[in-house]
Structures are given as C-alpha cells and as structure tokens.
Amino acid sequence: MTDRDRRAEELSVLAAEAAACVACDLAASRTHVVFGAGDPDAEVMIVGEGPGRREDETGLPFVGPSGRLLDRLLGEIGLERSDVYIGNVVKCRPPGNRDPRPVEIDACKGYLRTQIQLVDPAVVVTLGNFSSKLLLATTTGITRLRGRAYDWWGGRKLVPTYHPAAALRGSARVLAEMQEDLSLVRSILDGNLRSGPDLEPPGGPGSAPEEPPAIEQLDLFS
Ligand code: URA
C-alpha cells in the first residue's frame, strides 16, 4: 500500500465515523455531513467555515458560487481542485449559515485536526474571518491578518485570506487581495519564500501592518 493509499483509507474511515456523528445539535438539522474532499496527499489544504445550503444538500465542500470562485482562484496559481484538499471547521451546516458555536467547534475539532495530520499539507489556507481567527488563535480580523504567511502548527505555513463569498459580494479589492494571497501560496510551493513569522507581504513593505498580529498556538492544535 502506498503512503497516499494509506492516507486515503484513514480519511475514509474517519469520514464514515463523521457521517454517523451526533456529538452536537447540528446533527439534528443536517442533510449530509460534509467531511471534506480532495487529494489525500495534497500540498495545500483549504479550510472554510462550515457547509452552506448546497454543500449540505450534496455532502461536498464548496460546491456553490463560492466554490466556483475558489476553483478559478486556484486555477490562477496552477492548481486544480483535485490537487488540493478542502475541508471546513465544522462538518455540518449551521442553520441559516450562522457562525458555528464554541460547543459545535469543540465537538468537531478532532476531525479537522486528524484531517490535517493525515493530509499533512505544507500550506493551510484559511478562508474568511472565522477559520482564520480560529486556526491562528487570534482576535485580529482577516483584513489585518491577510497578506502574509504564518509559521504554524507542525512546521506548516498558514496563509489566511478572505472567504470567496466576500469577493462575490462585489468588492474588486477583496478579489485582488485574494489573488495576492494565493500567489503567496504559489511562492511557498515553489520554495521562493523564506521562512519566518515576518514574511514580506506580496504588495511589498508597507502594504501590511508594521507589527504582525499576536499569534498564539491554538489549543485545538497543540
Ligand atoms: N462556505 C464555507 O465556508 N464552506 C463551504 O463548504 C461552503 C461555503
């Protein structure tokens, strides 16, 4: 069995476990558990917030309009959806797309942690305020967080960016900044970015806050 096959098999065992999960109240209102999908051996893992309506209907992550934009942005850095692994902080849709509650995140965190350990990506990309703040254990918002790569859990890089839904709401600036953030991911994959907590933002010096926001190790991942 190849290493890739082993990761795939362990992910499908975990997905089957998640499919039967009733650890929080979201189980009562979900149609499908949206465990995650993609290359079990991906170099890049994308982490969204939680399934929306289309994802709940289909059981697959990012299949609605946000997913189509995500595909386009990945394409611009030479990646297909099948090259990455996509998951969410919570695997069941919060009713009305509200933010997941602490008790729901707590109930679900083991799935995300194990997914990251199994896929073992070099780069984790968090989409939006919610997953970025959570995985970076900070109260700093995405507008200040984005534009740089952070040294993260297990020697990985974490690149926070906006949620595609924010770009779809119509801001050309948000879209351009998402493109900058994804070009950072390309640079990391190409080995063109030195490591360290104070990586230069893609727009050059001065385009990001002078002081990096305070980042602690998230207890989900310690
Ligand atoms: N938004 C998310 O955060 N995740 C999805 O899977 C779909 C939309």
Side-chain angles (χ1 to χ4, degrees), residues 1-7:
M1 185 187 271
T2 65
D3 191 49
R4 191 172 188 286
D5 290 343
R6 179 196 56 81
R7 292 171 204 240

Side-chain angles (χ1 to χ4, degrees), residues 39-172:
D39 182 356
D41 205 15
E43 282 189 293
V44 177
M45 179 161 169
I46 313 274
V47 181
E49 174 174 329
R53 186 174 55 82
R54 292 285 315 282
E55 291 75 23
D56 179 61
E57 284 166 5
T58 59
L60 293 169
F62 282 98
V63 287
S66 289
R68 283 194 290 281
L69 178 56
L70 178 61
D71 287 346
R72 184 187 129 195
L73 292 168
L74 288 171
E76 288 174 6
I77 58 161
L79 295 174
E80 306 265 337
R81 176 178 283 240
S82 56
D83 295 325
V84 303
Y85 189 89
I86 307 184
N88 283 301
V89 170
V90 293
K91 314 301 187 201
C92 296
R93 184 189 184 205
N97 294 348
R98 64 160 170 74
D99 280 352
R101 296 186 173 135
V103 67
E104 295 157 357
I105 296 164
D106 213 48
C108 223
K109 67 186 181 188
Y111 294 121
L112 181 61
R113 185 171 43 218
T114 309
Q115 282 173 308
I116 296 170
Q117 283 173 320
L118 286 173
V119 176
D120 195 19
V123 189
V124 171
V125 180
T126 48
L127 298 179
N129 230 342
F130 186 85
S131 58
S132 301
K133 287 163 76 170
L134 189 75
L135 270 65
L136 285 171
T138 178
T139 54
T140 304
I142 188 61
T143 309
R144 284 199 63 217
L145 283 178
R146 63 149 298 276
R148 62 181 68 213
Y150 296 84
D151 287 328
W152 197 59
W153 180 54
R156 300 173 186 95
K157 297 287 181 209
L158 190 148
V159 176
T161 192
Y162 297 107
H163 195 285
L168 289 172
R169 283 195 288 270
S171 163

